[in-house]
Amino acid sequence: MNVIKKEEKHYTMKTLNIFVIVLGSILATFTSFGQSGFILSGLSTVTPTVQSCDQNVSISIGALSNNSTNSDYNLVLNGSNFSPSQFTMIINWGDGTVTTHNGTTSSIGTSIAWTPSLYHYYNTPGSYVISIQLTNPQNNSSVSTNLYYLHNSCSWISAYIHVDCNNDGVLENTFLNNVPINFTGPNGYSSQFNSTNGGAWTQVTTNGTYTASIDPNWLTTNNYVLSSSSNTQLNVTGPYDNDTAYLILNCANATNTLCVSGTLYCDANANGVLNTGENVIANAPVTINNNGTNYLVYTNSNGQYNLNYSGTVGSPTVISLNGLWLSQNNYTAQSMVFTVLGATCGTPSTTNIPLTCGSSCQSLCAAAIVFCDANGNNIMDSGENPLQNAPVTFYNGNNPAITAYTDSAGWVIVCGNYFNTNLITAQINPYWLTQHGYTVTNSMLTLQAINAQTPSPGMFAVNCGGTTSNACDDLWTTVTPWIGYFQGTTATIRLNFGNYGPGTATTYGLSLSYPVGVTPVVSSISIPGYTISGNTISWNLTNAAAGYSFTDYIQFTLPSGLINGAQHYFTSNITATGSNTDCNYANNDGSLLQILGNSYDPNDKTVHQAEQMSPVITDNLTYTIRFQNTGTAPAQNVHILDTLSTNLDWSTFDLIYASHYMNVVDLGNGIRKFDFPQIWLPDSTSNEPESHGMIVYRIKELVTNGEGEEIFNTAHIYFDWNPAIVTNTTYNINTSLGIEELGNSRVIYPNPTSNNFTIKANERIEQIRIYDMLGKEWKNLRLTSSNPIVDISTLPEGIYLVNVRTEKGTFTERLIKQ
């Protein structure tokens, strides 16, 4: 018995020793667990439920916070003991698809980069539960959550505004812009949109009754009331349904309201009467004067102009046409001034205005859609991606009439006096297709042009090299100037970037390099997550969907003591990262040359290339044309006439960026018309930030350009039908003999100067030509000297280009005359 008890006691001690060892191991494990990386405790979001018409779902996750706003779901990964970590995640998308992702985070708040990206495409509408389980393998901590996605088949609701000032049932105006229209509906739905051309529209996902209304404050401010004859109710009964509300406005006080109206038309038979079949003229400016007050109105799509104004019945009212507008559109009129007597809106004065239009009688519309044809059936099906910014050329017979660029929906619509027949052809630009690596079965379509603003579109079915789920992106960037650039001040540079699509760039890198010696104002950088190394600001960004664009206004401090005329370069770059594919690398770099001492001109042209170019390299020149409405009223139409140098290869024209919807008309002989129809650009007094516009395009010089070939360019900017604003002239020259090659640190001195300057060179100078920045030649001297002194005392103050031809070559220097 004693022996047995001793054995039992021995066994118990052995068990206790094992227990102590195991307990120590467990404690060591928990101690190690508490010290090993980011310990996960939760995965949260303020919007776990998303309801959308979209079939594409994207998710963004950030550690402890999330700076992303571009995803459908923006999640925050909660936990303790944060440190850079790697994660594994499994997602059940709720439609039978399960995916595994690996991600890495290095900082708090920055969206975690995942491979593959957190993106899914749903084939059919429905309700889906998205289950997420995320693990940190470093410490085996794990979190999970559910998200809820409702993919609906959407319907459209819209509202259009009409004006019946005296409530007599006759509509006087159908085009009102920037009117705040409210939509309310089921489940607390509420949204507001500003009208464009008298209307506003939106998509909704819930069936039921919606109500359209106009902001009451706007009605009071503009002296309108909503007519009882308005139809404000909209009924949505099922998927893909649509309904329209009509909001009719009466003038709040119509006692002394007078009305005048009429139609502008092409008088084909010259009988002074608007006959059936004669074409009306849209967007024509008509000036109406009563009692010393001028009113400017434009004809609508039916060629009609209407004006309600306060005045005395029987007072003279003068109607006149704009002569510059007539000449620009090749119209003539037997009379440009008409006088009528003011009349009430019950019996308005009606004056039709006949014009002689020649070959411009037709006012036709044609349309096309450009899209990625994933299934190859030549039809744009649901889920197939549109292609934005694709150039489509419409032909009038065998001659190109106009080139227009597709919008974010892949549509391009051209209306106007471009065609003299209803049967026309359209071609998608082959240079653009080659740039992107696209092919198309039929690059030329035959279209029916009609006298309406909603023609049936032709379809350019493009082979984009993949399915909709792996479509490539088209990232782009430019750097453009803003205000002036002076030493001892703070200058602003605009960094522009985006994605033309058709795919979504789930991850990409962006950088901006700036000159040595200038300092970025970091508080002005609105794009989060940047790093600065040397003289480069860099970002790693996510989720640039097709059609996305952004502009950041970044400030730089310029020190004092710099030389006026110094050349400062700013360059940007955007690159797809991860598994993304970029279709077009030609627009991935932006550059801006700022000349220190530039004065501010809101309407100017710059070339982002050094003045002196190598004659053995075929250079790409990037031009920026800026414009601003500094008037006192919105500009309805803006267009720019730009005469391209004969030393440029016109066939390589490539539009990179336009601030507003735009058409490009090739007028021949290198003249391009950049047309912004119905831009309604606000004036700088009422809305300074929105009063600006710009275009950026790239074009190559001719491959045959050699030593001494010069490139001048000047743009003419037209606001409505006012006289042109002429920009400065850009200048470039092909030369192998720059300042350094001549062996001189300063070849022109003094600079700046008031009376004269000396040119120092190691060889004989044969000719000196001096131009101002508008391209006007002020001096042309022929001589044989190595150190000539040039008198400029009679020249006005300003900046000049001094072009010097020596026995060995040519160079150009910028000179400041004080």
Side-chain angles (χ1 to χ4, degrees):
M1 293 292 292
N2 291 336
V3 174
I4 293 174
K5 287 181 180 179
K6 286 181 180 180
E7 288 178 350
E8 288 177 345
K9 184 177 181 180
H10 178 72
Y11 181 79
T12 303
M13 292 298 293
K14 181 177 180 181
T15 303
L16 180 61
N17 290 337
I18 293 172
F19 174 75
V20 170
I21 293 171
V22 172
L23 178 62
S25 176
I26 293 173
L27 290 175
T29 300
F30 275 100
T31 301
S32 174
F33 180 85
Q35 297 176 349
S36 299
F38 187 24
I39 302 174
L40 309 183
S41 63
L43 192 59
S44 62
T45 177
V46 296
T47 54
T49 301
V50 170
Q51 181 172 285
S52 174
C53 311
D54 193 1
Q55 295 172 273
N56 304 314
V57 172
S58 59
I59 300 173
S60 173
I61 303 176
L64 301 182
S65 64
N66 191 359
N67 61 9
S68 174
T69 58
N70 297 323
S71 299
D72 295 299
Y73 298 94
N74 296 301
L75 306 181
V76 174
L77 183 59
N78 301 308
S80 59
N81 195 38
F82 176 82
S83 62
S85 304
Q86 294 183 339
F87 308 107
T88 299
M89 181 164 56
I90 298 175
I91 303 180
N92 186 331
W93 295 97
D95 61 349
T97 304
V98 178
T99 56
T100 302
H101 309 262
N102 296 305
T104 303
T105 186
S106 58
S107 60
I108 294 174
T110 303
S111 297
I112 299 171
W114 296 95
T115 304
S117 59
L118 308 185
Y119 172 88
H120 189 63
Y121 176 82
Y122 288 95
N123 289 311
T124 58
S127 299
Y128 300 95
V129 179
I130 304 172
S131 300
I132 300 177
Q133 182 171 0
L134 193 154
T135 303
N136 185 346
Q138 190 176 0
N139 50 41
N140 290 324
S141 59
S142 180
V143 292
S144 61
T145 192
N146 287 334
L147 305 175
Y148 304 93
Y149 180 66
L150 178 60
H151 170 214
N152 288 333
S153 300
C154 293
S155 301
W156 285 94
I157 58 175
S158 57
Y160 283 87
I161 305 168
H162 300 284
V163 175
D164 179 9
C165 192
N166 62 346
N167 200 23
D168 64 351
V170 179
L171 302 179
E172 291 105 19
N173 194 332
T174 58
F175 284 88
L176 288 178
N177 291 280
N178 298 316
V179 179
I181 299 178
N182 299 313
F183 294 101
T184 57
N187 303 326
Y189 175 86
S190 179
S191 59
Q192 185 180 87
F193 303 89
N194 287 335
S195 65
T196 300
N197 286 341
W201 46 90
T202 186
Q203 286 181 316
V204 294
T205 58
T206 304
N207 294 343
T209 300
Y210 294 80
T211 300
S213 62
I214 297 176
D215 187 285
N217 293 327
W218 184 91
L219 290 171
T220 301
T221 301
N222 292 274
N223 200 35
Y224 287 117
V225 294
L226 192 63
S227 172
S228 59
S229 60
S230 297
N231 176 20
T232 62
Q233 298 297 309
L234 303 112
N235 295 309
V236 176
T237 59
Y240 311 111
D241 195 8
N242 64 82
D243 198 7
T244 301
Y246 294 94
L247 307 176
I248 300 175
L249 302 183
N250 301 149
C251 297
N253 180 8
T255 304
N256 296 316
T257 299
L258 307 181
C259 291
V260 64
S261 62
T263 301
L264 261 71
Y265 64 98
C266 290
D267 190 14
N269 57 10
N271 67 347
V273 178
L274 176 57
N275 300 118
T276 302
E278 289 183 327
N279 290 289
V280 297
I281 302 171
N283 295 324
V286 179
T287 300
I288 300 171
N289 182 282
N290 179 270
N291 196 27
T293 301
N294 276 327
Y295 305 92
L296 179 63
V297 296
Y298 297 88
T299 57
N300 61 22
S301 59
N302 296 317
Q304 298 170 347
Y305 68 91
N306 301 279
L307 177 68
N308 308 323
Y309 60 100
S310 297
T312 304
V313 174
S315 60
T317 300
V318 179
I319 306 167
S320 60
L321 301 177
N322 186 296
L324 180 60
W325 176 84
L326 288 171
S327 63
Q328 286 179 342
N329 289 274
N330 297 319
Y331 298 145
T332 58
Q334 290 185 349
S335 176
M336 294 177 56
V337 179
F338 306 84
T339 301
V340 298
L341 298 180
T344 63
C345 296
T347 56
S349 299
T350 301
T351 301
N352 295 334
I353 303 177
L355 299 180
T356 301
C357 305
S359 62
S360 302
C361 280
Q362 294 282 352
S363 182
L364 302 174
C365 295
I369 300 177
V370 183
F371 67 99
C372 285
D373 188 20
N375 57 14
N377 67 349
N378 295 321
I379 299 173
M380 188 174 184
D381 300 306
S382 176
E384 290 184 327
N385 290 297
L387 290 172
Q388 183 183 9
N389 223 41
V392 177
T393 301
F394 295 83
Y395 287 81
N396 188 16
N398 294 323
N399 300 314
I402 183 172
T403 299
Y405 290 78
T406 55
D407 61 15
S408 59
W411 274 76
V412 55
I413 300 178
V414 170
C415 293
N417 304 313
Y418 299 113
F419 316 116
N420 54 20
T421 178
N422 291 93
L423 200 63
I424 64 170
T425 55
Q427 181 183 30
I428 188 168
N429 187 292
Y431 179 75
W432 181 86
L433 289 169
T434 301
Q435 274 186 324
H436 291 73
Y438 296 155
T439 58
V440 62
T441 303
N442 187 4
S443 65
M444 187 77 74
L445 298 178
T446 300
L447 305 177
Q448 184 75 21
I450 62 175
N451 191 7
Q453 293 187 336
T454 56
S456 298
M459 293 193 178
F460 286 106
V462 177
N463 177 11
C464 298
T467 64
T468 56
S469 60
N470 65 0
C472 61
D473 45 69
D474 182 7
L475 297 169
W476 63 269
T477 180
T478 65
V479 194
T480 51
W482 183 254
I483 315 299
Y485 197 78
F486 299 95
Q487 59 178 320
T489 63
T490 299
T492 301
I493 301 298
R494 288 200 287 198
L495 173 62
N496 317 290
F497 64 95
N499 179 27
Y500 291 133
T504 296
T506 51
T507 60
Y508 58 103
L510 176 70
S511 67
L512 173 65
S513 297
Y514 51 89
V516 175
V518 305
T519 305
V521 180
V522 294
S523 61
S524 68
I525 304 175
S526 63
I527 312 170
Y530 64 86
T531 60
I532 299 179
S533 177
N535 64 326
T536 299
I537 311 171
S538 301
W539 297 265
N540 290 313
L541 302 173
T542 58
N543 295 318
Y548 169 79
S549 64
F550 185 80
T551 295
D552 198 3
Y553 298 81
I554 302 178
Q555 296 178 339
F556 291 87
T557 301
L558 279 60
S560 300
L562 301 176
I563 299 174
N564 273 351
Q567 298 182 354
H568 282 188
Y569 285 92
F570 292 81
T571 59
S572 61
N573 174 265
I574 192 167
T575 305
T577 58
S579 59
N580 298 304
T581 302
D582 198 330
C583 309
N584 176 24
Y585 292 99
N587 55 8
N588 286 35
D589 296 284
S591 63
L592 169 65
L593 171 61
Q594 288 285 68
I595 306 299
L596 195 65
N598 275 0
S599 60
Y600 170 54
D601 185 345
N603 302 283
D604 67 0
K605 182 173 185 178
T606 56
V607 58
H608 312 319
Q609 176 63 269
E611 289 176 5
Q612 300 181 28
M613 306 184 303
S614 171
V616 298
I617 297 175
T618 302
D619 288 286
N620 261 313
L621 292 92
T622 302
Y623 290 97
T624 297
I625 302 176
R626 300 186 300 172
F627 55 90
Q628 183 186 20
N629 178 11
T630 56
T632 57
Q636 179 183 0
N637 299 287
V638 175
H639 74 269
I640 302 169
L641 292 181
D642 190 7
T643 303
L644 302 176
S645 169
T646 54
N647 285 328
L648 294 172
D649 185 352
W650 302 338
S651 67
T652 63
F653 175 89
D654 181 25
L655 179 70
I656 296 176
Y657 173 73
S659 59
H660 302 77
Y661 178 75
M662 183 199 67
N663 294 328
V664 182
V665 185
D666 185 352
L667 300 178
N669 297 320
I671 302 175
R672 294 293 197 274
K673 179 182 179 182
F674 303 100
D675 193 16
F676 295 85
Q678 296 294 304
I679 187 175
W680 289 104
L681 191 70
D683 61 273
S684 57
T685 302
S686 60
N687 190 345
E688 201 284 334
E690 297 298 325
S691 65
H692 297 265
M694 71 168 57
I695 59 171
V696 182
Y697 67 87
R698 180 182 285 118
I699 189 169
K700 287 184 178 180
E701 65 170 327
L702 289 174
V703 296
T704 55
N705 285 350
E707 187 77 38
E709 297 286 1
E710 299 170 309
I711 299 174
F712 293 94
N713 264 103
T714 307
H716 293 70
I717 304 171
Y718 295 84
F719 292 89
D720 289 325
W721 290 273
N722 296 303
I725 296 175
V726 183
T727 70
N728 58 289
T729 297
T730 62
Y731 177 76
N732 299 93
I733 183 172
N734 284 279
T735 177
S736 56
L737 290 179
I739 296 172
E740 294 80 3
E741 291 169 301
L742 287 169
N744 300 278
S745 59
R746 297 286 297 279
V747 296
I748 293 180
Y749 64 93
N751 188 4
T753 183
S754 299
N755 297 314
N756 55 62
F757 64 89
T758 300
I759 301 178
K760 181 182 178 182
N762 293 336
E763 57 278 309
R764 186 176 66 253
I765 294 174
E766 298 174 345
Q767 185 180 29
I768 300 171
R769 300 166 70 186
I770 300 177
Y771 301 91
D772 64 17
M773 299 307 289
L774 293 177
K776 177 182 177 181
E777 185 178 83
W778 287 83
K779 283 185 177 292
N780 188 339
L781 306 176
R782 294 186 179 275
L783 64 164
T784 55
S785 173
S786 58
N787 293 280
I789 299 175
V790 182
D791 181 12
I792 59 169
S793 59
T794 60
L795 269 61
E797 293 182 0
I799 301 176
Y800 295 86
L801 298 172
V802 181
N803 177 247
V804 181
R805 180 165 59 85
T806 75
E807 60 184 343
K808 293 185 178 180
T810 305
F811 67 91
T812 301
E813 181 84 0
R814 194 179 291 258
L815 175 71
I816 299 175
K817 167 64 177 358
Q818 295 179 332

